[in-house]
Amino acid sequence: MVSVAVVAVGASTVAALPAANALPVGIGPVPITFELNDSNGNWFDSGLNLFGGRSLAVAELPRLGTSALDGNIIPSLPAGTLGLGGLNAQQSGGLLNLDLVNSLTGLVTDVTKPAPALGSLTGGLADLLNLDSTLAAVKNIAATQPKAAASAAKAEGLLGQFQAQVASLPADAPINLNDLPVGLDLQRALNDLATFAIKGPAVTADFKIASPNNQSLHDITSLIRPEGAPFFEQMGAFAGEDSTQLTEPGLYAWTCTIHPYMLGATVVDDPLTIGLDFGKNLQVTSRNLTVPSTADVIQQLVRIFFTATVPDNWQKYSTTSASQWNPVFPPAPILQYDQNGNPVLIPLLDAYYDRKFGYPKNLDQLSPPKTPGVGEVWIDTQMEEYSSKDYVGAATKVNVENWTVDRKISGSSINMNNPHNMWTDQDYKYLYQTEWFDDELSVFDRNTGAHVRTIDVGPDPSHVMTRTDTDQVQVAINGGTDVVELSPGATKIDRRLPVGPPGANQAPQHPHAFWLTADGKTTLTPNVNPYDATVLDNETGTWKKEPTGELPIATGAMSDQSKFYMADFLGGSISCVSLGQDACVNPSGQKVHNSSIDLWENYDPVAGRNGTKPWGGLTIQLPVSPDDKALLAANTFSATVSVINPKTDKIVKELPCNAGCHGINFGAKKGGGYYAYVSNKFSNAAQVIDIDPNNDGDISDAAIVGQLVLAPTADTKMDGSLSGQPGMGGQGVLPIPLVYNGWSQKVPEPWRSKLTAQQLNPIG
């Protein structure tokens, strides 16, 4: 069981939890605190160490008489006090069955075979289903309110019957409580007790963003919340403190919309229910969804949460052998509700997800494409850890002519913080590198890896590109409202270009993965905060707005400058915007100024995917191939790459990617054509896609032709000491030479002679 220390609060005792084994549990006025952090796995640091992740907290909904500490008995507690309510050390450790992790995880080793029965598992049903906590609440009500004694005695007897009736059921299968002989009677008995144990004050969730944990700004936005609970968001990136009230039992999750894989969550448990409450209906910040808590979209998001926030759950591929990927989820009992309002108990979340998602999964031994590429590809392995610096991340170079990991630039000498995206100059002398969790753009010598200079540009610089006409450097200030334009070589800031209304009373725009048109005259920004796009005239500095879907995060543009696309991260869609005459194609096949590609056409958020038809979601980078043949979109939600025909704006097919599918960019394939390199945040490997393997103009045969492990080898040149997560955190992708229209015509020698005439002039 989890061990805790205790400190006195008045006449009561409140547990003070050691950081190494913390389990934060709030109740009523006692808050849960998340300290946001720039480090792996504890971006929302709750203090709970869950298999190496620290982004989950648990709270108890205060009810009169169910514990020794609730809002009706002790209305206030000293500031900074962490309370466990009536939960003692053993009960607090048992909420998520953390004390039984080794015996209650990995129960499903083969999805073709049945899981063990609940009654056969270590720990006993009272512990693993949290029946002991429910029983304690029932007994406390009887002790404090004599009128409730008869109802409490009835509930106590029914809890015993419940335990007997579920003992023979499999550990991985949901249990509809109303289908059990005792189910309806038990629910009525607990509901009767709830009339005596009225709800107390809301649980408070505090958020802190401050140095030294954070070197720049973040924001916090509700991603999931129980129906009826307040929506919470900041209207801009900030440093400081804020809080929200958790008013209903159920699942709450938040994200930083600037760094959207930063996730935090709390389960607020009603002590008079069986299992940890997910709530009856949950509101999802996507498409204005309200769904039952059994909905597929909820299970997918919870799966992604534990994949992202627990580094031990990340995928580890090898070039020498096959392996297995078996992420671990809390072996906790979870109470959900189906679309008919029936209570459904998930006995053990880990076993249920193993069955639902088919874990463990086989990871193949990886090999590169048979046909080489041209030049090199740089991928930001943003989660790599170095003992020679305080912050994570490196820029990783792969020689795509022999498929070797040639170099890693960790920026140890400058303490480089979360490198996110890269570009180069017209002479390929420099590597421009953004530090996404900081305020800086760093410049390195591309050949030697030596640090050249670092310049302050503004909070959370995300993406960087160069103009084809002037070679000036543009950087999106993700935590602000500007695109910063710097001189060639990034020696100084030439100007700041607003992409939306400036001023203290205006919400920051938070531009992210922008794109420059082939002539260098126009910058296209996705604005995360106002949910729109900006078309910025670089000659005049003026801008106009275009509509998008929810939380546009990345841009792709046609080489012929006819239209551009926006990845609607929370919208499950891709927005298309024409730059001149109508060029977007709507679902009816008509050319229009604006249109949308629905990535959820074959996905029902309650029932799940429609067979094997393509689907996507949480889409990030989406480049158009230099020859305008294909649009590729990386989908974190579905772990797929959508292959889209830009002539019709129709999805042609999907290809698999890895956990945290994130970045894509195109480079030259030897002899002609293009490779798309796909990075993955929670994997150490990158995919290589050939959009037209036989070069017949038909992209329906687009395929993954190889995969690359991004971990260093003995021959990799390094500027720091790698201490953990080798090859992990793939985000920005930069193939060199630059083969997009406008850049390709200016490729210098000796690179130029390696390209075909078509690669030098991709659209003629």
Side-chain angles (χ1 to χ4, degrees):
M1 296 295 180
V2 175
S3 61
V4 297
V6 295
V7 295
V9 179
S12 305
T13 58
V14 178
L17 299 169
N21 209 11
L23 181 64
V25 180
I27 182 166
V30 182
I32 289 168
T33 299
F34 290 94
E35 294 190 4
L36 273 68
N37 200 294
D38 291 354
S39 299
N40 287 341
N42 58 333
W43 298 298
F44 276 68
D45 189 352
S46 69
L48 166 60
N49 192 340
L50 180 67
F51 327 128
R54 304 172 69 90
S55 296
L56 177 69
V58 180
E60 183 179 298
L61 183 78
R63 283 189 178 276
L64 178 66
T66 57
S67 65
L69 263 180
D70 61 41
N72 293 280
I73 297 173
I74 302 178
S76 63
L77 292 170
T81 300
L82 179 64
L84 289 181
L87 302 175
N88 61 34
Q90 290 186 344
Q91 290 169 327
S92 64
L95 279 174
L96 293 168
N97 285 332
L98 296 189
D99 51 329
L100 299 172
V101 164
N102 291 335
S103 60
L104 295 184
T105 56
L107 300 178
V108 177
T109 57
D110 183 344
V111 294
T112 66
K113 297 178 180 178
L118 288 168
S120 69
L121 300 177
T122 301
L125 283 177
D127 278 350
L128 67 89
L129 296 181
N130 284 353
L131 301 180
D132 50 352
S133 296
T134 307
L135 182 59
V138 168
K139 289 183 174 180
N140 282 338
I141 293 173
T144 57
Q145 299 196 59
K147 292 183 179 180
S151 296
K154 181 178 180 180
E156 185 173 347
L158 292 170
L159 282 169
Q161 294 179 42
F162 174 82
Q163 185 169 330
Q165 289 177 15
V166 301
S168 61
L169 299 180
D172 61 342
I175 302 170
N176 187 325
L177 297 186
N178 289 348
D179 288 344
L180 294 175
V182 73
L184 291 174
D185 289 339
L186 177 57
Q187 294 299 307
R188 279 193 288 265
L190 294 175
N191 289 338
D192 286 345
L193 286 173
T195 63
F196 296 96
I198 60 172
K199 286 170 58 176
V203 177
T204 301
D206 290 336
F207 304 96
K208 295 182 179 181
I209 302 171
S211 181
N213 290 339
N214 311 109
Q215 293 303 300
S216 195
L217 308 179
H218 300 285
D219 68 13
I220 299 151
T221 297
S222 292
L223 181 60
I224 302 172
R225 67 194 191 279
E227 186 175 28
F231 178 74
F232 177 72
E233 70 172 340
Q234 281 87 26
M235 290 310 296
F238 82 111
E241 299 184 14
D242 208 341
S243 64
T244 185
Q245 299 298 297
L246 314 183
T247 60
E248 305 295 328
L251 174 64
Y252 296 77
W254 305 274
T255 186
C256 170
T257 62
I258 300 168
H259 315 93
Y261 61 79
M262 293 180 65
L263 298 166
T266 295
V267 176
V268 177
D269 183 50
D270 186 335
L272 290 179
T273 58
I274 296 171
L276 291 175
D277 293 86
F278 265 28
K280 291 187 177 180
N281 292 307
L282 294 172
Q283 295 177 278
V284 182
T285 307
S286 175
R287 300 192 176 200
N288 198 29
L289 285 176
T290 300
V291 294
S293 54
T294 57
D296 184 77
V297 68
I298 299 300
Q299 313 313 322
Q300 297 282 357
L301 289 171
V302 173
R303 174 186 61 84
I304 290 170
F305 174 88
F306 286 109
T307 302
T309 62
V310 181
D312 285 348
N313 283 344
W314 297 349
Q315 290 176 329
K316 299 176 179 66
Y317 282 90
S318 170
T319 58
T320 58
S321 63
S323 59
Q324 278 195 332
W325 179 46
N326 193 17
V328 176
F329 304 93
I334 304 295
L335 182 64
Q336 301 178 349
Y337 290 81
D338 67 18
Q339 56 193 347
N340 297 316
N342 297 314
V344 176
L345 180 68
I346 308 298
L348 298 173
L349 189 67
D350 182 75
Y352 172 58
Y353 277 5
D354 282 353
R355 181 69 62 182
K356 178 176 175 63
F357 297 115
Y359 298 122
K361 294 181 181 292
N362 293 324
L363 302 182
D364 294 334
Q365 177 181 338
L366 298 190
S367 59
K370 293 180 180 179
T371 301
V374 176
E376 59 201 42
V377 61
W378 290 82
I379 297 176
D380 274 327
T381 44
Q382 192 173 318
M383 276 66 159
E384 285 188 330
E385 298 168 356
Y386 288 81
S387 59
S388 44
K389 64 174 185 169
D390 297 326
Y391 305 113
V392 298
T396 295
K397 174 193 169 191
V398 179
N399 182 330
V400 301
E401 297 181 2
N402 59 18
W403 305 113
T404 58
V405 178
D406 271 9
R407 181 182 295 280
K408 286 185 178 286
I409 300 176
S410 70
S412 290
S413 65
I414 60 169
N415 213 6
M416 185 165 66
N417 187 354
N418 280 271
H420 183 63
N421 207 262
M422 299 158 288
W423 203 257
T424 191
D425 61 298
Q426 287 183 1
D427 296 326
Y428 300 173
K429 178 179 179 181
Y430 299 121
L431 187 74
Y432 300 123
Q433 176 67 72
T434 60
E435 298 187 45
W436 193 25
F437 285 47
D438 215 308
D439 305 314
E440 298 170 334
L441 175 75
S442 288
V443 184
F444 297 92
D445 185 296
R446 189 191 59 79
N447 281 314
T448 67
H451 175 247
V452 176
R453 68 182 61 90
T454 292
I455 184 167
D456 268 349
V457 290
D460 307 305
S462 55
H463 280 238
V464 55
M465 292 184 74
T466 55
R467 292 177 56 171
T468 58
D469 52 348
T470 66
D471 206 27
Q472 287 172 294
V473 185
Q474 288 196 349
V475 180
I477 307 306
N478 203 176
T481 289
D482 305 330
V483 169
V484 170
E485 189 169 82
L486 302 98
S487 61
T491 57
K492 62 183 179 66
I493 293 175
D494 289 341
R495 57 179 176 163
R496 291 184 179 272
L497 298 163
V499 298
N505 296 325
Q506 300 291 335
Q509 300 296 295
H510 292 177
H512 191 79
F514 69 99
W515 197 259
L516 277 155
T517 54
D519 60 7
K521 306 299 184 186
T522 307
T523 302
L524 310 165
T525 70
N527 304 318
V528 168
N529 213 19
Y531 288 10
D532 61 26
T534 294
V535 179
L536 172 65
D537 186 324
N538 286 324
E539 298 295 294
T540 65
T542 58
W543 50 266
K544 66 176 182 178
K545 292 281 194 172
E546 292 283 357
T548 67
E550 297 170 75
L551 208 152
I553 198 169
T555 316
M558 298 286 284
S559 286
D560 65 7
Q561 303 187 157
S562 61
K563 59 184 176 180
F564 66 93
Y565 298 92
M566 289 279 163
D568 303 325
F569 184 72
L570 290 180
S573 61
I574 295 171
S575 295
C576 179
V577 180
S578 303
L579 281 168
Q581 64 184 19
D582 292 350
C584 299
V585 184
N586 69 14
S588 300
Q590 301 168 313
K591 287 193 174 182
V592 293
H593 182 74
N594 297 90
S595 66
S596 179
I597 301 170
D598 186 5
L599 298 175
W600 278 20
E601 182 180 3
N602 301 314
Y603 179 72
D604 183 312
V606 175
R609 180 179 184 172
N610 180 4
T612 59
K613 294 180 179 180
W615 69 302
L618 299 182
T619 309
I620 308 184
Q621 291 187 22
L622 68 171
V624 181
S625 61
D627 55 8
D628 285 348
K629 279 185 182 179
L631 166 68
L632 298 183
N635 302 306
T636 292
F637 187 72
S638 53
T640 58
V641 174
S642 297
V643 181
I644 298 168
N645 185 342
K647 294 181 179 64
T648 63
D649 288 343
K650 298 286 188 184
I651 301 172
V652 174
K653 66 187 302 184
E654 70 179 24
L655 298 170
C657 56
N658 291 349
C661 193
H662 184 101
I664 311 180
N665 250 326
F666 284 93
K669 176 185 174 184
K670 185 177 180 180
Y674 299 96
Y675 282 145
Y677 299 97
V678 183
S679 67
N680 304 275
K681 293 185 292 292
F682 311 120
S683 166
N684 66 343
Q687 287 78 50
V688 184
I689 295 174
D690 192 333
I691 58 167
D692 187 10
N694 58 7
N695 201 30
D696 65 353
D698 181 1
I699 63 171
S700 65
D701 58 353
I704 295 172
V705 293
Q707 294 202 59
L708 312 173
V709 172
L710 300 177
T713 67
D715 297 324
T716 303
K717 299 179 180 66
M718 308 273 287
D719 69 333
S721 178
L722 182 63
S723 59
Q725 306 302 341
M728 289 291 179
Q731 306 217 24
V733 178
L734 172 65
I736 295 174
L738 298 171
V739 290
Y740 291 100
N741 189 41
W743 290 271
S744 62
Q745 292 85 353
K746 298 182 179 182
V747 171
E749 291 293 357
W751 309 88
R752 191 173 189 84
S753 59
K754 298 182 179 183
L755 300 178
T756 67
Q758 189 277 333
Q759 288 169 332
L760 289 169
N761 291 282
I763 60 171

